[in-house]
Amino acid sequence: MYTIGQVAKLFHLPISTIRYYDKEGLFPTLERTSGIRKFSETELETLRMIECLKKSGLEIKEIKQFMEWCSQGSSTYEKRHELFLHQQEIVEQKIEKLEKVLDMIRFKCWYYEQAIQDGNEERLKELIPDALPEKIKKLYERAHEE
Amino acid sequence: MYTIGQVAKLFHLPISTIRYYDKEGLFPTLERTSGIRKFSETELETLRMIECLKKSGLEIKEIKQFMEWCSQGSSTYEKRHELFLHQQEIVEQKIEKLEKVLDMIRFKCWYYEQAIQDGNEERLKELIPDALPEKIKKLYERAHEE
DNA sequence: ATAATACCTAAACTTGACTTTAGGTCAATA
DNA sequence: TATTGACCTAAAGTCAAGTTTAGGTATTAT
């Protein structure tokens, strides 16, 4: 069993955030002794899930929905499974988009390295887009497609 | 040259968002004819940069700073280069974190498949963490490390 | 005994990134 | 001629996700 302060340290979160999550109903089975929250292993796993689902793009409300399903038992296994299947796709798409962002950034890194060497952008402007070195051209194209 | 409406369509953005970016100073060289904004290729590339930098986690203020550097010419090449080097790291870290999130999600997908088959979580609870199948155990551990 | 800590609540405040509203100009179409 | 459509502004409103404030309790350290 952990107090809110201990949990805050474990997860590097402000206490106020954990209270806020509780107020929003994210710990449906959280117990208290004379008003004071007692966090068990269940709540720690819940917090891990909250962090995971938040990073995957869910809102607090939606996470609350999921936590409600959890406390409804075996009848919601299908729903929970579908949620994760869906979030899997979402996160895979997020990663793909970030890979594209990374190509744009890599292109710009190269661009400014050249600009620093040249002292201006005259030569570079001539190169774009067709006369770029092969590797750089690929970055440029992936970053500019659509 | 494009009107704001054309740009909005090209980028699938609401007109109000583009006006907002302009108000925040994100198009330092944008020209107008009798009050009406005229977007050139420069502004389109700026918009691509805005989207890229936003996805990499920069705030509008910071993007504005970058745009100011752009209009200050060659004296800011170094700063701009450093910004991209830094954002490259940030985005690489973001991707790593999302890979970890993905492991948690994959674990949960497997978990609920099992729970659906079993009709309950009894057997599963016994398996965690040591008696999990090798592949699943790896997902579980990566998702729970730290 | 008093002061410092760790906990509690309700309610107001903050922040960033937009979006909406209310009002107006100008050109073209019915 | 009137109304429709595309543009404009300033200012207010919205939304999520916290954070801060103001006030209170209970336990422990000096």
Side-chain angles (χ1 to χ4, degrees), chain A residues 104 107-108 110-111 121-145, chain B residues 41 45 48:
Chain A
M104 174 69 107
F107 172 74
K108 291 289 177 175
W110 175 84
Y111 183 96
E121 289 158 80
E122 301 314 307
R123 184 181 61 90
L124 280 163
K125 278 177 182 161
E126 301 269 295
L127 296 181
I128 292 171
D130 293 330
L132 293 167
E134 259 326 292
K135 282 189 183 176
I136 304 302
K137 195 175 171 184
K138 274 180 190 155
L139 295 181
Y140 181 86
E141 280 166 1
R142 277 202 55 197
H144 283 73
E145 67 197 20
Chain B
E41 204 42 61
E45 184 63 13
R48 273 176 222 116

Side-chain angles (χ1 to χ4, degrees), chain A residues 14 16-17 20-21 23 54 58-61:
Chain A
S16 62
T17 301
Y20 165 71
Y21 289 164
K23 204 179 59 183
K54 261 170 53 77
L58 283 201
E59 293 183 4
I60 300 295
K61 274 184 211 170

Side-chain angles (χ1 to χ4, degrees), chain A residues 4-13 18:
Chain A
I4 199 168
Q6 290 168 329
V7 175
K9 267 179 198 158
L10 275 172
F11 283 82
H12 312 290
L13 286 174
I18 303 174

Side-chain angles (χ1 to χ4, degrees), chain A residues 16 37 49 63 75 81 100 105 129 135 143:
Chain A
S16 62
R37 294 174 181 87
M49 285 314 310
I63 299 176
S75 63
H81 184 227
K100 219 164 146 182
I105 291 176
K135 282 189 183 176

Side-chain angles (χ1 to χ4, degrees), chain A residues 41-53:
Chain A
E41 204 41 62
T42 309
E43 276 74 43
L44 299 195
E45 184 63 12
T46 299
L47 254 178
R48 275 177 220 115
M49 285 314 310
I50 292 171
E51 307 234 288
C52 169
L53 293 174

Side-chain angles (χ1 to χ4, degrees), chain B residues 28-90:
Chain B
T29 65
L30 179 72
E31 303 205 346
R32 290 174 183 242
T33 28
S34 60
I36 290 172
R37 294 173 182 87
K38 294 291 161 193
F39 294 79
S40 71
E41 204 42 61
T42 308
E43 277 73 42
L44 299 195
E45 184 63 13
T46 298
L47 255 179
R48 273 176 222 116
M49 285 314 310
I50 292 170
E51 307 234 288
C52 169
L53 292 173
K54 259 170 57 76
K55 282 177 198 151
S56 89
L58 283 200
E59 294 183 2
I60 299 295
K61 273 183 211 168
E62 301 170 295
I63 299 176
K64 182 190 176 168
Q65 173 66 271
F66 173 75
M67 293 309 163
E68 276 166 14
W69 289 344
C70 287
S71 41
Q72 282 161 23
S74 58
S75 62
T76 61
Y77 288 159
E78 288 280 5
K79 281 178 182 175
R80 294 187 249 167
H81 184 227
E82 272 160 33
L83 175 77
F84 282 108
L85 281 178
H86 183 241
Q87 288 317 110
Q88 186 175 353
E89 272 184 44
I90 300 283

